[in-house]
Amino acid sequence: MGLIFKPVRTILILGAAFIAGVFYERNMVTDRCLDAGGRVADSGICEGVK
């Protein structure tokens, strides 16, 4: 029975790692935008950086 759930568990762990990476990168982009003097619009796009 454990052999059946190993691939499912692996896929879930990989999916969770991917989602965590997306949120981490989005946070880093937001920090870089704010450090450069811009602001992040509701759509997630950095505005006001020259």
Side-chain angles (χ1 to χ4, degrees):
M1 194 62 133
L3 189 61
I4 294 173
F5 292 114
K6 278 189 178 184
V8 174
R9 183 179 64 190
T10 302
I11 290 171
L12 289 175
I13 290 171
L14 287 174
F18 177 77
I19 297 297
V22 168
F23 283 119
Y24 177 78
E25 183 61 27
R26 186 173 176 139
N27 186 37
M28 294 299 293
V29 169
T30 300
D31 288 345
R32 279 188 267 159
C33 177
L34 296 175
D35 289 343
R39 71 177 188 88
V40 179
D42 291 336
S43 61
I45 297 174
C46 184
E47 297 177 341
V49 177
K50 294 182 180 181

mmCIF file of all heavy atoms in Angstrom:
data_model
loop_
_atom_site.group_PDB
_atom_site.id
_atom_site.type_symbol
_atom_site.label_atom_id
_atom_site.label_comp_id
_atom_site.label_asym_id
_atom_site.label_seq_id
_atom_site.Cartn_x
_atom_site.Cartn_y
_atom_site.Cartn_z
ATOM 1 N N MET A 1 0.813 -1.193 0.000
ATOM 2 C CA MET A 1 0.000 0.000 0.000
ATOM 3 C C MET A 1 0.858 1.259 0.000
ATOM 4 O O MET A 1 0.501 2.253 -0.596
ATOM 5 C CB MET A 1 -0.924 -0.026 1.221
ATOM 6 C CG MET A 1 -2.030 0.975 1.140
ATOM 7 S SD MET A 1 -3.097 0.661 -0.248
ATOM 8 C CE MET A 1 -4.669 0.784 0.481
ATOM 9 N N GLY A 2 2.003 1.232 0.685
ATOM 10 C CA GLY A 2 2.880 2.386 0.732
ATOM 11 C C GLY A 2 3.513 2.696 -0.609
ATOM 12 O O GLY A 2 3.849 3.837 -0.902
ATOM 13 N N LEU A 3 3.665 1.677 -1.434
ATOM 14 C CA LEU A 3 4.278 1.865 -2.751
ATOM 15 C C LEU A 3 3.385 2.681 -3.676
ATOM 16 O O LEU A 3 3.868 3.395 -4.540
ATOM 17 C CB LEU A 3 4.583 0.495 -3.373
ATOM 18 C CG LEU A 3 5.404 0.491 -4.648
ATOM 19 C CD1 LEU A 3 6.774 1.103 -4.377
ATOM 20 C CD2 LEU A 3 5.566 -0.911 -5.171
ATOM 21 N N ILE A 4 2.087 2.609 -3.455
ATOM 22 C CA ILE A 4 1.144 3.342 -4.296
ATOM 23 C C ILE A 4 1.186 4.837 -3.976
ATOM 24 O O ILE A 4 1.079 5.675 -4.866
ATOM 25 C CB ILE A 4 -0.282 2.792 -4.099
ATOM 26 C CG1 ILE A 4 -0.360 1.359 -4.620
ATOM 27 C CG2 ILE A 4 -1.310 3.669 -4.794
ATOM 28 C CD1 ILE A 4 -1.663 0.655 -4.333
ATOM 29 N N PHE A 5 1.361 5.196 -2.720
ATOM 30 C CA PHE A 5 1.277 6.598 -2.317
ATOM 31 C C PHE A 5 2.591 7.357 -2.479
ATOM 32 O O PHE A 5 2.587 8.581 -2.403
ATOM 33 C CB PHE A 5 0.786 6.695 -0.875
ATOM 34 C CG PHE A 5 -0.641 6.271 -0.724
ATOM 35 C CD1 PHE A 5 -0.974 5.140 -0.002
ATOM 36 C CD2 PHE A 5 -1.652 6.998 -1.326
ATOM 37 C CE1 PHE A 5 -2.279 4.746 0.132
ATOM 38 C CE2 PHE A 5 -2.967 6.620 -1.200
ATOM 39 C CZ PHE A 5 -3.290 5.475 -0.470
ATOM 40 N N LYS A 6 3.699 6.676 -2.711
ATOM 41 C CA LYS A 6 4.979 7.382 -2.872
ATOM 42 C C LYS A 6 4.978 8.335 -4.068
ATOM 43 O O LYS A 6 5.414 9.477 -3.937
ATOM 44 C CB LYS A 6 6.136 6.387 -2.957
ATOM 45 C CG LYS A 6 6.591 5.913 -1.611
ATOM 46 C CD LYS A 6 7.870 5.115 -1.724
ATOM 47 C CE LYS A 6 8.322 4.704 -0.338
ATOM 48 N NZ LYS A 6 9.597 4.020 -0.372
ATOM 49 N N PRO A 7 4.509 7.927 -5.251
ATOM 50 C CA PRO A 7 4.480 8.892 -6.368
ATOM 51 C C PRO A 7 3.546 10.074 -6.108
ATOM 52 O O PRO A 7 3.860 11.210 -6.457
ATOM 53 C CB PRO A 7 3.986 8.069 -7.551
ATOM 54 C CG PRO A 7 4.223 6.657 -7.191
ATOM 55 C CD PRO A 7 4.140 6.591 -5.698
ATOM 56 N N VAL A 8 2.430 9.815 -5.461
ATOM 57 C CA VAL A 8 1.489 10.891 -5.144
ATOM 58 C C VAL A 8 2.121 11.862 -4.157
ATOM 59 O O VAL A 8 2.031 13.080 -4.314
ATOM 60 C CB VAL A 8 0.169 10.310 -4.580
ATOM 61 C CG1 VAL A 8 -0.753 11.417 -4.113
ATOM 62 C CG2 VAL A 8 -0.512 9.434 -5.616
ATOM 63 N N ARG A 9 2.777 11.341 -3.154
ATOM 64 C CA ARG A 9 3.444 12.182 -2.159
ATOM 65 C C ARG A 9 4.549 13.004 -2.816
ATOM 66 O O ARG A 9 4.695 14.202 -2.532
ATOM 67 C CB ARG A 9 4.021 11.315 -1.044
ATOM 68 C CG ARG A 9 4.664 12.111 0.060
ATOM 69 C CD ARG A 9 5.198 11.222 1.134
ATOM 70 N NE ARG A 9 6.266 10.396 0.563
ATOM 71 C CZ ARG A 9 6.824 9.364 1.177
ATOM 72 N NH1 ARG A 9 6.408 9.014 2.369
ATOM 73 N NH2 ARG A 9 7.786 8.682 0.607
ATOM 74 N N THR A 10 5.297 12.398 -3.711
ATOM 75 C CA THR A 10 6.364 13.117 -4.413
ATOM 76 C C THR A 10 5.808 14.267 -5.243
ATOM 77 O O THR A 10 6.351 15.376 -5.236
ATOM 78 C CB THR A 10 7.157 12.155 -5.309
ATOM 79 O OG1 THR A 10 7.685 11.113 -4.501
ATOM 80 C CG2 THR A 10 8.280 12.868 -6.025
ATOM 81 N N ILE A 11 4.719 14.021 -5.940
ATOM 82 C CA ILE A 11 4.099 15.067 -6.753
ATOM 83 C C ILE A 11 3.590 16.198 -5.862
ATOM 84 O O ILE A 11 3.744 17.379 -6.197
ATOM 85 C CB ILE A 11 2.972 14.476 -7.617
ATOM 86 C CG1 ILE A 11 3.578 13.595 -8.708
ATOM 87 C CG2 ILE A 11 2.116 15.567 -8.237
ATOM 88 C CD1 ILE A 11 2.575 12.784 -9.486
ATOM 89 N N LEU A 12 3.001 15.863 -4.729
ATOM 90 C CA LEU A 12 2.519 16.903 -3.811
ATOM 91 C C LEU A 12 3.669 17.728 -3.239
ATOM 92 O O LEU A 12 3.565 18.954 -3.125
ATOM 93 C CB LEU A 12 1.711 16.270 -2.678
ATOM 94 C CG LEU A 12 0.351 15.717 -3.064
ATOM 95 C CD1 LEU A 12 -0.299 15.012 -1.882
ATOM 96 C CD2 LEU A 12 -0.546 16.814 -3.601
ATOM 97 N N ILE A 13 4.764 17.083 -2.901
ATOM 98 C CA ILE A 13 5.922 17.808 -2.370
ATOM 99 C C ILE A 13 6.521 18.718 -3.437
ATOM 100 O O ILE A 13 6.858 19.872 -3.168
ATOM 101 C CB ILE A 13 6.967 16.827 -1.820
ATOM 102 C CG1 ILE A 13 6.432 16.164 -0.550
ATOM 103 C CG2 ILE A 13 8.293 17.526 -1.536
ATOM 104 C CD1 ILE A 13 7.275 15.025 -0.037
ATOM 105 N N LEU A 14 6.624 18.227 -4.670
ATOM 106 C CA LEU A 14 7.145 19.058 -5.763
ATOM 107 C C LEU A 14 6.218 20.240 -6.053
ATOM 108 O O LEU A 14 6.680 21.359 -6.304
ATOM 109 C CB LEU A 14 7.338 18.221 -7.023
ATOM 110 C CG LEU A 14 8.504 17.256 -6.999
ATOM 111 C CD1 LEU A 14 8.482 16.377 -8.245
ATOM 112 C CD2 LEU A 14 9.816 17.997 -6.897
ATOM 113 N N GLY A 15 4.928 20.021 -6.002
ATOM 114 C CA GLY A 15 3.966 21.100 -6.210
ATOM 115 C C GLY A 15 4.066 22.160 -5.125
ATOM 116 O O GLY A 15 4.023 23.356 -5.398
ATOM 117 N N ALA A 16 4.205 21.709 -3.872
ATOM 118 C CA ALA A 16 4.333 22.661 -2.762
ATOM 119 C C ALA A 16 5.622 23.467 -2.885
ATOM 120 O O ALA A 16 5.638 24.674 -2.624
ATOM 121 C CB ALA A 16 4.294 21.920 -1.430
ATOM 122 N N ALA A 17 6.704 22.817 -3.299
ATOM 123 C CA ALA A 17 7.972 23.529 -3.474
ATOM 124 C C ALA A 17 7.870 24.552 -4.608
ATOM 125 O O ALA A 17 8.407 25.664 -4.499
ATOM 126 C CB ALA A 17 9.091 22.537 -3.758
ATOM 127 N N PHE A 18 7.174 24.201 -5.669
ATOM 128 C CA PHE A 18 6.999 25.128 -6.789
ATOM 129 C C PHE A 18 6.195 26.353 -6.354
ATOM 130 O O PHE A 18 6.583 27.494 -6.636
ATOM 131 C CB PHE A 18 6.301 24.424 -7.956
ATOM 132 C CG PHE A 18 6.021 25.328 -9.111
ATOM 133 C CD1 PHE A 18 7.035 25.697 -9.977
ATOM 134 C CD2 PHE A 18 4.749 25.830 -9.331
ATOM 135 C CE1 PHE A 18 6.787 26.544 -11.045
ATOM 136 C CE2 PHE A 18 4.491 26.668 -10.386
ATOM 137 C CZ PHE A 18 5.504 27.031 -11.245
ATOM 138 N N ILE A 19 5.101 26.138 -5.652
ATOM 139 C CA ILE A 19 4.267 27.250 -5.186
ATOM 140 C C ILE A 19 5.050 28.135 -4.214
ATOM 141 O O ILE A 19 4.975 29.367 -4.286
ATOM 142 C CB ILE A 19 2.979 26.718 -4.528
ATOM 143 C CG1 ILE A 19 2.132 25.958 -5.561
ATOM 144 C CG2 ILE A 19 2.176 27.829 -3.884
ATOM 145 C CD1 ILE A 19 1.646 26.802 -6.712
ATOM 146 N N ALA A 20 5.822 27.530 -3.326
ATOM 147 C CA ALA A 20 6.640 28.315 -2.397
ATOM 148 C C ALA A 20 7.664 29.146 -3.163
ATOM 149 O O ALA A 20 7.907 30.310 -2.814
ATOM 150 C CB ALA A 20 7.334 27.393 -1.401
ATOM 151 N N GLY A 21 8.243 28.597 -4.205
ATOM 152 C CA GLY A 21 9.200 29.333 -5.024
ATOM 153 C C GLY A 21 8.564 30.505 -5.746
ATOM 154 O O GLY A 21 9.159 31.582 -5.866
ATOM 155 N N VAL A 22 7.348 30.318 -6.230
ATOM 156 C CA VAL A 22 6.635 31.410 -6.906
ATOM 157 C C VAL A 22 6.380 32.552 -5.936
ATOM 158 O O VAL A 22 6.612 33.721 -6.258
ATOM 159 C CB VAL A 22 5.312 30.895 -7.514
ATOM 160 C CG1 VAL A 22 4.426 32.042 -7.956
ATOM 161 C CG2 VAL A 22 5.592 29.959 -8.678
ATOM 162 N N PHE A 23 5.905 32.230 -4.726
ATOM 163 C CA PHE A 23 5.652 33.277 -3.735
ATOM 164 C C PHE A 23 6.946 33.957 -3.296
ATOM 165 O O PHE A 23 6.979 35.175 -3.101
ATOM 166 C CB PHE A 23 4.907 32.717 -2.530
ATOM 167 C CG PHE A 23 3.440 32.509 -2.790
ATOM 168 C CD1 PHE A 23 2.884 31.252 -2.695
ATOM 169 C CD2 PHE A 23 2.626 33.578 -3.135
ATOM 170 C CE1 PHE A 23 1.536 31.056 -2.936
ATOM 171 C CE2 PHE A 23 1.273 33.397 -3.372
ATOM 172 C CZ PHE A 23 0.737 32.124 -3.274
ATOM 173 N N TYR A 24 8.010 33.200 -3.150
ATOM 174 C CA TYR A 24 9.294 33.777 -2.759
ATOM 175 C C TYR A 24 9.789 34.747 -3.829
ATOM 176 O O TYR A 24 10.218 35.868 -3.521
ATOM 177 C CB TYR A 24 10.316 32.661 -2.539
ATOM 178 C CG TYR A 24 11.687 33.166 -2.198
ATOM 179 C CD1 TYR A 24 11.987 33.623 -0.923
ATOM 180 C CD2 TYR A 24 12.697 33.197 -3.154
ATOM 181 C CE1 TYR A 24 13.244 34.100 -0.604
ATOM 182 C CE2 TYR A 24 13.959 33.663 -2.851
ATOM 183 C CZ TYR A 24 14.228 34.119 -1.575
ATOM 184 O OH TYR A 24 15.465 34.593 -1.283
ATOM 185 N N GLU A 25 9.734 34.346 -5.089
ATOM 186 C CA GLU A 25 10.212 35.213 -6.170
ATOM 187 C C GLU A 25 9.341 36.455 -6.297
ATOM 188 O O GLU A 25 9.847 37.552 -6.533
ATOM 189 C CB GLU A 25 10.220 34.438 -7.487
ATOM 190 C CG GLU A 25 10.771 35.222 -8.652
ATOM 191 C CD GLU A 25 12.216 35.649 -8.481
ATOM 192 O OE1 GLU A 25 12.962 34.961 -7.763
ATOM 193 O OE2 GLU A 25 12.602 36.676 -9.070
ATOM 194 N N ARG A 26 8.051 36.303 -6.124
ATOM 195 C CA ARG A 26 7.165 37.465 -6.199
ATOM 196 C C ARG A 26 7.484 38.462 -5.088
ATOM 197 O O ARG A 26 7.463 39.670 -5.290
ATOM 198 C CB ARG A 26 5.717 36.995 -6.107
ATOM 199 C CG ARG A 26 4.732 38.085 -6.317
ATOM 200 C CD ARG A 26 3.335 37.555 -6.383
ATOM 201 N NE ARG A 26 2.411 38.651 -6.491
ATOM 202 C CZ ARG A 26 1.365 38.663 -7.273
ATOM 203 N NH1 ARG A 26 1.111 37.632 -8.018
ATOM 204 N NH2 ARG A 26 0.575 39.699 -7.317
ATOM 205 N N ASN A 27 7.781 37.959 -3.905
ATOM 206 C CA ASN A 27 8.150 38.825 -2.788
ATOM 207 C C ASN A 27 9.473 39.541 -3.081
ATOM 208 O O ASN A 27 9.621 40.727 -2.769
ATOM 209 C CB ASN A 27 8.246 38.006 -1.505
ATOM 210 C CG ASN A 27 8.475 38.870 -0.297
ATOM 211 O OD1 ASN A 27 7.939 39.967 -0.205
ATOM 212 N ND2 ASN A 27 9.282 38.386 0.629
ATOM 213 N N MET A 28 10.423 38.845 -3.677
ATOM 214 C CA MET A 28 11.710 39.464 -4.000
ATOM 215 C C MET A 28 11.540 40.569 -5.040
ATOM 216 O O MET A 28 12.172 41.624 -4.940
ATOM 217 C CB MET A 28 12.706 38.414 -4.513
ATOM 218 C CG MET A 28 13.102 37.388 -3.467
ATOM 219 S SD MET A 28 13.905 38.114 -2.030
ATOM 220 C CE MET A 28 15.398 38.695 -2.774
ATOM 221 N N VAL A 29 10.690 40.352 -6.035
ATOM 222 C CA VAL A 29 10.446 41.370 -7.060
ATOM 223 C C VAL A 29 9.784 42.597 -6.434
ATOM 224 O O VAL A 29 10.132 43.738 -6.755
ATOM 225 C CB VAL A 29 9.590 40.785 -8.204
ATOM 226 C CG1 VAL A 29 9.096 41.865 -9.133
ATOM 227 C CG2 VAL A 29 10.390 39.754 -8.972
ATOM 228 N N THR A 30 8.856 42.380 -5.528
ATOM 229 C CA THR A 30 8.206 43.493 -4.840
ATOM 230 C C THR A 30 9.219 44.290 -4.026
ATOM 231 O O THR A 30 9.220 45.525 -4.063
ATOM 232 C CB THR A 30 7.085 42.966 -3.921
ATOM 233 O OG1 THR A 30 6.133 42.265 -4.719
ATOM 234 C CG2 THR A 30 6.389 44.101 -3.201
ATOM 235 N N ASP A 31 10.093 43.603 -3.313
ATOM 236 C CA ASP A 31 11.115 44.300 -2.517
ATOM 237 C C ASP A 31 12.048 45.108 -3.406
ATOM 238 O O ASP A 31 12.391 46.250 -3.081
ATOM 239 C CB ASP A 31 11.930 43.295 -1.698
ATOM 240 C CG ASP A 31 11.145 42.714 -0.543
ATOM 241 O OD1 ASP A 31 10.085 43.268 -0.196
ATOM 242 O OD2 ASP A 31 11.604 41.688 0.010
ATOM 243 N N ARG A 32 12.455 44.542 -4.544
ATOM 244 C CA ARG A 32 13.344 45.280 -5.456
ATOM 245 C C ARG A 32 12.647 46.510 -6.028
ATOM 246 O O ARG A 32 13.273 47.554 -6.218
ATOM 247 C CB ARG A 32 13.817 44.371 -6.589
ATOM 248 C CG ARG A 32 14.961 43.482 -6.172
ATOM 249 C CD ARG A 32 15.532 42.743 -7.348
ATOM 250 N NE ARG A 32 14.827 41.461 -7.392
ATOM 251 C CZ ARG A 32 14.722 40.685 -8.436
ATOM 252 N NH1 ARG A 32 15.250 41.037 -9.571
ATOM 253 N NH2 ARG A 32 14.086 39.549 -8.377
ATOM 254 N N CYS A 33 11.363 46.397 -6.324
ATOM 255 C CA CYS A 33 10.607 47.535 -6.849
ATOM 256 C C CYS A 33 10.535 48.654 -5.812
ATOM 257 O O CYS A 33 10.778 49.813 -6.133
ATOM 258 C CB CYS A 33 9.203 47.082 -7.247
ATOM 259 S SG CYS A 33 8.133 48.411 -7.828
ATOM 260 N N LEU A 34 10.217 48.293 -4.583
ATOM 261 C CA LEU A 34 10.108 49.307 -3.533
ATOM 262 C C LEU A 34 11.461 49.926 -3.211
ATOM 263 O O LEU A 34 11.550 51.127 -2.947
ATOM 264 C CB LEU A 34 9.486 48.686 -2.284
ATOM 265 C CG LEU A 34 8.040 48.191 -2.439
ATOM 266 C CD1 LEU A 34 7.579 47.489 -1.172
ATOM 267 C CD2 LEU A 34 7.116 49.323 -2.817
ATOM 268 N N ASP A 35 12.541 49.138 -3.245
ATOM 269 C CA ASP A 35 13.883 49.668 -3.002
ATOM 270 C C ASP A 35 14.306 50.655 -4.086
ATOM 271 O O ASP A 35 15.063 51.585 -3.827
ATOM 272 C CB ASP A 35 14.904 48.534 -2.920
ATOM 273 C CG ASP A 35 14.758 47.713 -1.649
ATOM 274 O OD1 ASP A 35 14.099 48.197 -0.704
ATOM 275 O OD2 ASP A 35 15.302 46.591 -1.613
ATOM 276 N N ALA A 36 13.803 50.457 -5.311
ATOM 277 C CA ALA A 36 14.149 51.343 -6.418
ATOM 278 C C ALA A 36 13.281 52.597 -6.437
ATOM 279 O O ALA A 36 13.450 53.450 -7.303
ATOM 280 C CB ALA A 36 14.014 50.595 -7.740
ATOM 281 N N GLY A 37 12.342 52.709 -5.505
ATOM 282 C CA GLY A 37 11.524 53.911 -5.419
ATOM 283 C C GLY A 37 10.198 53.811 -6.142
ATOM 284 O O GLY A 37 9.504 54.814 -6.301
ATOM 285 N N GLY A 38 9.814 52.645 -6.564
ATOM 286 C CA GLY A 38 8.538 52.471 -7.255
ATOM 287 C C GLY A 38 7.452 52.021 -6.308
ATOM 288 O O GLY A 38 7.629 51.968 -5.101
ATOM 289 N N ARG A 39 6.320 51.721 -6.892
ATOM 290 C CA ARG A 39 5.217 51.148 -6.131
ATOM 291 C C ARG A 39 4.636 50.005 -6.937
ATOM 292 O O ARG A 39 4.719 49.991 -8.161
ATOM 293 C CB ARG A 39 4.158 52.189 -5.806
ATOM 294 C CG ARG A 39 3.336 52.643 -6.975
ATOM 295 C CD ARG A 39 2.248 53.638 -6.538
ATOM 296 N NE ARG A 39 1.353 53.906 -7.654
ATOM 297 C CZ ARG A 39 0.277 53.178 -7.928
ATOM 298 N NH1 ARG A 39 -0.038 52.155 -7.189
ATOM 299 N NH2 ARG A 39 -0.477 53.474 -8.966
ATOM 300 N N VAL A 40 4.043 49.066 -6.238
ATOM 301 C CA VAL A 40 3.478 47.898 -6.895
ATOM 302 C C VAL A 40 1.982 48.104 -7.026
ATOM 303 O O VAL A 40 1.282 48.320 -6.039
ATOM 304 C CB VAL A 40 3.784 46.611 -6.098
ATOM 305 C CG1 VAL A 40 3.185 45.408 -6.774
ATOM 306 C CG2 VAL A 40 5.280 46.442 -5.929
ATOM 307 N N ALA A 41 1.490 48.067 -8.258
ATOM 308 C CA ALA A 41 0.065 48.245 -8.516
ATOM 309 C C ALA A 41 -0.701 46.999 -8.093
ATOM 310 O O ALA A 41 -0.116 45.966 -7.765
ATOM 311 C CB ALA A 41 -0.159 48.524 -10.002
ATOM 312 N N ASP A 42 -2.020 47.102 -8.098
ATOM 313 C CA ASP A 42 -2.869 45.969 -7.716
ATOM 314 C C ASP A 42 -2.645 44.767 -8.627
ATOM 315 O O ASP A 42 -2.830 43.634 -8.214
ATOM 316 C CB ASP A 42 -4.339 46.372 -7.748
ATOM 317 C CG ASP A 42 -4.681 47.363 -6.646
ATOM 318 O OD1 ASP A 42 -3.964 47.379 -5.632
ATOM 319 O OD2 ASP A 42 -5.660 48.120 -6.815
ATOM 320 N N SER A 43 -2.253 45.026 -9.857
ATOM 321 C CA SER A 43 -2.028 43.930 -10.805
ATOM 322 C C SER A 43 -0.686 43.241 -10.588
ATOM 323 O O SER A 43 -0.397 42.237 -11.228
ATOM 324 C CB SER A 43 -2.099 44.455 -12.239
ATOM 325 O OG SER A 43 -1.090 45.435 -12.433
ATOM 326 N N GLY A 44 0.154 43.792 -9.703
ATOM 327 C CA GLY A 44 1.466 43.199 -9.420
ATOM 328 C C GLY A 44 2.584 43.765 -10.259
ATOM 329 O O GLY A 44 3.705 43.274 -10.220
ATOM 330 N N ILE A 45 2.295 44.814 -11.028
ATOM 331 C CA ILE A 45 3.296 45.426 -11.901
ATOM 332 C C ILE A 45 3.949 46.587 -11.172
ATOM 333 O O ILE A 45 3.281 47.397 -10.520
ATOM 334 C CB ILE A 45 2.634 45.907 -13.215
ATOM 335 C CG1 ILE A 45 2.072 44.710 -13.960
ATOM 336 C CG2 ILE A 45 3.622 46.673 -14.075
ATOM 337 C CD1 ILE A 45 1.268 45.066 -15.184
ATOM 338 N N CYS A 46 5.266 46.694 -11.304
ATOM 339 C CA CYS A 46 6.021 47.774 -10.678
ATOM 340 C C CYS A 46 5.848 49.051 -11.492
ATOM 341 O O CYS A 46 6.046 49.050 -12.703
ATOM 342 C CB CYS A 46 7.493 47.366 -10.595
ATOM 343 S SG CYS A 46 8.513 48.566 -9.736
ATOM 344 N N GLU A 47 5.501 50.133 -10.822
ATOM 345 C CA GLU A 47 5.296 51.416 -11.498
ATOM 346 C C GLU A 47 6.136 52.496 -10.833
ATOM 347 O O GLU A 47 6.380 52.456 -9.644
ATOM 348 C CB GLU A 47 3.815 51.820 -11.418
ATOM 349 C CG GLU A 47 2.871 50.879 -12.113
ATOM 350 C CD GLU A 47 1.417 51.290 -11.930
ATOM 351 O OE1 GLU A 47 1.126 52.064 -10.996
ATOM 352 O OE2 GLU A 47 0.594 50.822 -12.723
ATOM 353 N N GLY A 48 6.541 53.463 -11.638
ATOM 354 C CA GLY A 48 7.186 54.643 -11.107
ATOM 355 C C GLY A 48 8.703 54.552 -10.957
ATOM 356 O O GLY A 48 9.310 55.415 -10.360
ATOM 357 N N VAL A 49 9.332 53.525 -11.494
ATOM 358 C CA VAL A 49 10.779 53.394 -11.425
ATOM 359 C C VAL A 49 11.383 53.935 -12.700
ATOM 360 O O VAL A 49 10.926 53.635 -13.797
ATOM 361 C CB VAL A 49 11.191 51.919 -11.227
ATOM 362 C CG1 VAL A 49 12.703 51.789 -11.238
ATOM 363 C CG2 VAL A 49 10.619 51.376 -9.948
ATOM 364 N N LYS A 50 12.397 54.777 -12.535
ATOM 365 C CA LYS A 50 13.039 55.351 -13.723
ATOM 366 C C LYS A 50 14.413 54.791 -13.912
ATOM 367 O O LYS A 50 15.067 54.350 -13.078
ATOM 368 C CB LYS A 50 13.119 56.859 -13.595
ATOM 369 C CG LYS A 50 11.756 57.473 -13.594
ATOM 370 C CD LYS A 50 11.865 58.976 -13.515
ATOM 371 C CE LYS A 50 10.448 59.543 -13.508
ATOM 372 N NZ LYS A 50 10.404 60.957 -13.468
#
